[in-house]
C-alpha cells in the first residue's frame, strides 16, 4: 500500500511539473494583462496552481484542449477575484 501511494505521489509530481512547465508563461501573461502588476501576477499564478492541485483527478481526465481552457479559466477566475477585493 505504501509503495502504491509513493508511486502516485511521484506520478502527481511529474504531472504537475509538466503542467507548470507547459502553462506557467501563459498563466502569468493572462494574470499580468488583468492585474498590471508583475509581482501580483506571480502570486496569482502560484495561487492558481494550488487550486489546480486540489483538482488533480479532474485535470487528469481532461483532453488536452479542455485542460488548456480549464487552466486558463482558473487563472482568470483567481485574478478577477483578486481584483474584486
Amino acid at each position: 500500500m505504501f509503495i502504491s501511494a509513493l508511486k502516485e505521489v511521484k506520478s502527481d509530481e511529474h504531472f504537475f511539473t509538466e503542467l507548470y512547465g507547459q502553462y506557467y508563461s501563459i498563466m502569468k501573461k493572462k494574470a499580468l494583462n488583468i492585474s498590471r502588476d508583475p509581482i501580483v501576477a506571480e502570486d496569482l499564478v502560484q495561487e492558481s496552481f494550488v487550486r489546480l492541485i486540489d483538482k488533480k483527478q479532474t485535470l487528469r481526465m481532461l483532453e488536452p484542449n479542455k485542460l488548456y481552457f480549464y487552466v486558463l479559466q482558473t487563472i482568470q477566475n483567481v485574478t478577477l477575484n483578486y481584483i474584486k477585493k
Side-chain angles (χ1 to χ4, degrees), residues 24 27-28 31 40-49 75:
Y24 172 82
M27 292 172 73
K28 176 118 186 235
V40 169
E42 179 67 33
D43 289 342
L44 295 169
V45 170
Q46 297 305 318
E47 183 178 336
S48 294
F49 271 105
I75 187 66

Side-chain angles (χ1 to χ4, degrees), residues 18-54:
E18 286 195 12
L19 191 74
Y20 189 86
Q22 187 171 359
Y23 292 108
Y24 172 82
S25 61
I26 296 165
M27 292 172 73
K28 176 118 186 235
K29 188 176 189 178
K30 188 155 189 80
L32 188 56
N33 285 339
I34 297 170
S35 71
R36 304 283 187 222
D37 183 328
I39 294 171
V40 169
E42 179 67 33
D43 289 342
L44 295 169
V45 170
Q46 297 305 318
E47 183 178 336
S48 294
F49 271 105
V50 169
R51 290 187 185 189
L52 290 169
I53 287 169
D54 290 339

Side-chain angles (χ1 to χ4, degrees), residues 2-15:
F2 176 74
I3 293 174
S4 171
L6 187 58
K7 284 182 181 178
E8 185 176 323
V9 168
K10 288 205 177 272
S11 178
D12 288 345
E13 189 177 312
H14 178 72
F15 177 75

Side-chain angles (χ1 to χ4, degrees), residues 51-62:
R51 290 187 185 189
L52 290 169
I53 287 169
D54 290 339
K55 302 288 185 182
K56 71 180 178 183
Q57 299 298 12
T58 301
L59 296 176
R60 286 181 175 275
M61 293 187 295
L62 294 174

